[in-house]
Amino acid sequence: MVGKRKPVSDIDAQSVKNADTAEKKGYDGGSGPGGYIAAIRAAQLGFKTAIVEKEKNLGGICLNWGCIPTKSLLRASEVYRLIKRSKEFGIEVKGASFDIQSIVKYSRNVVDKLSSGVTYLMKKNNIKVHQGFGKLAGNSTIKVAGDKEEQEIVSKHIILATGVRARNLPEIEADGDLIWNAQHAMMPGKLPKSLLIIGSGAIGIEFASFYSTLGVDVTIVEVKESILPLEDQDISNLAQEIFTRQGIKIYTNSSVKALTKSKNSAQVLLSSGESKEFDRVIVAVGVQANIENIGLENTKIKLSPSGFIEMNEWYETSESNVYAIGDVAGPPCLAHKASHEAVICVEKIAGKSAHALKKECIPNCTYSHPQIASIGLTEEQAIKGGYDIKIGKFHSNFNGKSIALSETEGLVKTIIDKKTGELLGSHMIGAEVTELISNFALAKQLEGTDFDIKSTIFPHPTISEMIHESVLAADDESLNS
């Protein structure tokens, strides 16, 4: 909640937590990247601030069961992959092996460090943390049910940041045994020999990459025509080629028609008519908003047809003084979007000059091997939008640093408005592209043009030179391909 300025004694800045589904469906929290950043910015601006969080560890899904632990797992698999390839670099490693429980432990240690860091930030900024399940009782009151007692908190402004949880399929519900959601997949007791992943968005692809690298026989089933359906078609196509070469089996235009569980495996009937057996199944078919039992019925707050909280560009809901940010306010469901919305929302409440978020400037990242990143319009979207476009492409096998790293499978594709030189979109696959995409994010935020990137000096040898070359290639001016 964000409300009156200090030294008024009532609570002013809080993110409310949906806890009812947490025990059944996994971790979610009001202290995630939206909630805790909103609280910190509110405190910086002189508001008395508090957070309601049911879970013991602060940080929400992203820190505890999403962004951070998955990247830790993927880092471990990357190290193993490089060890297996070490002979290419003139280094021979014999008898390399891994222990899945040690990998999981490493991941959880990273989580603990960062969660402790959020706790420290709460104390540093004098933010009160209320442990319990928060429920709206109007537009200025939160009832918090803790382990021992119920508290009532009054505030002038309330920010909802309750996040999302994994969606299940009809009759294919995660049970933590044979059928996993993302949380289960992060903490396997042992590695399965075979694994089916239903859904090929970022979550599904990252788990496919992790488990395949560790030797699991991985199959992906995607109902749409391409994997990574939100990405540009060229990137999706190249990604599928690379993953297939890595041994991952991919079925597009396909779905699971039936799943029968036995003691140690699941028999799956695909829409193609094929029947296959898998040790484990991961359901990665999207998310749904945590809006149950948080008291929305006590307010005028409206929901979108897809079940997210409706709000305007300043995150105001249809209930005065109640705001919604982050995943619960709708896609794209990304931690960095939630944090940015948190700052905009609080600064608007504080009366500061705020700029509305531009969704076309939100980068997307998938941390598989190879990595995938994008921002702005795809080629198809640009054409449908009526733009007269030019496209530049540059492949990793022409980039000196990529060759030195022996990471030559990749592409940077840039979409430019012919009339204005505006950077409409950029789409990447390859080594470290999740780091490179911020170059385009900054360029778009500053309303840079193709001329600005052409005129920029990129250090050599770096993978970032591919950005320069892709823009040059849009005018047939590439110097290294």
Side-chain angles (χ1 to χ4, degrees):
M1 277 176 247
V2 199
K4 304 168 188 175
R5 298 296 181 96
K6 290 178 180 178
V8 177
S9 60
D10 64 341
I11 300 298
D12 315 328
Q14 177 174 343
S15 300
V16 182
K17 159 85 178 65
N18 171 15
D20 180 59
T21 56
E23 291 180 335
K24 300 176 184 177
K25 306 293 184 180
Y27 188 107
D28 62 276
S31 65
Y36 90 77
I37 291 295
I40 290 171
R41 187 65 185 126
Q44 289 175 341
L45 292 173
F47 291 105
K48 191 175 180 182
T49 308
I51 274 183
V52 173
E53 172 60 69
K54 180 177 181 290
E55 301 297 334
K56 180 181 178 181
N57 291 339
L58 302 183
I61 280 284
C62 175
L63 194 157
N64 289 277
W65 297 108
C67 319
I68 299 303
T70 53
K71 305 315 162 279
S72 305
L73 295 173
L74 285 160
R75 173 61 170 171
S77 69
E78 179 187 20
V79 171
Y80 183 62
R81 177 181 60 82
L82 286 171
I83 290 172
K84 290 196 297 181
R85 296 180 59 200
S86 64
K87 200 167 184 178
E88 295 177 31
F89 304 94
I91 301 169
E92 189 165 350
V93 179
K94 295 181 179 179
S97 63
F98 64 86
D99 175 65
I100 188 61
Q101 290 305 309
S102 296
I103 290 175
V104 171
K105 183 178 179 181
Y106 165 70
S107 171
R108 302 320 300 173
N109 286 342
V110 171
V111 166
D112 289 343
K113 288 178 184 178
L114 287 171
S115 181
S116 298
V118 175
T119 300
Y120 163 76
L121 289 172
M122 297 301 98
K123 292 178 181 178
K124 175 187 175 184
N125 289 281
N126 296 314
I127 296 164
K128 175 70 174 176
V129 177
H130 292 269
Q131 205 81 39
F133 168 44
K135 186 172 184 177
L136 287 164
N139 67 353
S140 61
T141 304
I142 300 270
K143 290 186 177 180
V144 183
D147 291 337
K148 297 180 180 179
E149 60 181 4
E150 182 174 276
Q151 302 177 63
E152 189 172 274
I153 303 171
V154 177
S155 177
K156 185 177 179 182
H157 298 287
I158 298 170
I159 298 175
L160 302 174
T162 56
V164 293
R165 64 184 183 275
R167 187 184 298 278
N168 282 304
L169 288 169
E171 301 182 10
I172 307 179
E173 185 167 346
D175 57 18
D177 181 19
L178 294 176
I179 304 176
W180 294 347
N181 60 23
Q183 181 174 341
H184 305 134
M186 282 177 227
M187 300 183 69
K190 63 178 182 179
L191 283 184
K193 291 181 180 179
S194 61
L195 174 67
L196 171 65
I197 299 176
I198 307 174
S200 70
I203 293 173
I205 291 297
E206 287 182 359
F207 279 122
S209 193
F210 170 72
Y211 279 100
S212 177
T213 300
L214 297 185
V216 177
D217 184 5
V218 175
T219 300
I220 297 172
V221 169
E222 169 57 53
V223 71
K224 295 189 177 180
E225 293 181 0
S226 306
I227 63 169
L228 296 158
L230 297 181
E231 299 295 340
D232 185 89
Q233 193 64 56
D234 283 337
I235 301 300
S236 295
N237 291 344
L238 182 53
Q240 182 160 338
E241 290 176 19
I242 295 171
F243 294 143
T244 300
R245 284 198 294 271
Q246 292 174 356
I248 298 172
K249 301 175 185 67
I250 298 173
Y251 292 81
T252 54
N253 286 315
S254 185
S255 61
V256 174
K257 288 299 182 183
L259 186 149
T260 304
K261 294 191 285 186
S262 61
K263 183 177 180 181
N264 296 311
S265 65
Q267 194 73 31
V268 174
L269 176 65
L270 301 180
S271 55
S272 63
E274 294 179 78
S275 181
K276 295 181 175 292
E277 188 176 31
F278 299 95
D279 290 343
R280 296 293 182 271
V281 176
I282 296 176
V283 179
V285 293
V287 295
Q288 62 189 85
N290 290 321
I291 44 83
E292 300 88 353
N293 300 310
I294 59 171
L296 297 186
E297 69 278 6
N298 302 320
T299 70
K300 300 174 184 177
I301 291 173
K302 297 177 182 178
L303 300 177
S304 70
S306 52
F308 295 93
I309 294 176
E310 288 189 347
M311 76 302 171
N312 65 14
E313 62 182 339
W314 307 116
Y315 310 101
E316 298 167 323
T317 69
S318 44
E319 179 67 67
S320 60
N321 303 322
V322 180
Y323 308 79
I325 62 172
D327 294 355
V328 76
C333 296
L334 300 167
H336 44 283
K337 166 185 166 274
S339 297
H340 201 77
E341 288 177 332
V343 173
I344 293 171
C345 179
V346 171
E347 290 186 350
K348 186 67 175 179
I349 291 170
K352 293 179 69 67
S353 178
H355 297 278
L357 180 144
K358 295 185 285 188
K359 285 194 174 183
E360 66 272 18
C361 290
I362 302 173
N364 300 288
C365 296
T366 302
Y367 298 81
S368 52
H369 176 74
Q371 295 178 4
I372 297 151
S374 61
I375 192 169
L377 301 179
T378 64
E379 180 179 350
E380 182 181 10
Q381 289 169 339
I383 292 171
K384 283 185 177 179
Y387 288 98
D388 184 14
I389 61 174
K390 55 184 180 181
I391 295 173
K393 299 178 183 179
F394 190 81
H395 290 266
S396 298
N397 57 350
F398 293 108
N399 174 259
K401 181 66 178 293
S402 297
I403 294 170
L405 294 175
S406 192
E407 299 284 356
T408 55
E409 292 185 311
L411 168 69
V412 174
K413 176 179 179 178
T414 307
I415 302 165
I416 300 164
D417 186 338
K418 275 186 181 179
K419 296 178 181 178
T420 64
E422 179 187 356
L423 302 169
L424 299 175
S426 180
H427 309 273
M428 308 176 174
I429 181 170
E432 302 302 329
V433 296
T434 59
E435 300 291 339
L436 297 188
I437 197 64
S438 58
N439 288 271
F440 276 110
L442 184 59
K444 283 185 67 63
Q445 187 66 32
L446 295 174
E447 298 182 352
T449 66
D450 57 343
F451 174 79
D452 296 312
I453 290 185
K454 286 182 181 182
S455 304
T456 298
I457 301 172
F458 287 81
H460 175 78
T462 62
I463 302 172
S464 67
E465 290 174 280
M466 292 178 64
I467 293 172
H468 190 220
E469 291 283 358
S470 72
V471 175
L472 288 171
D475 289 315
D476 295 322
E477 295 174 1
S478 175
L479 301 170
N480 287 284
S481 66

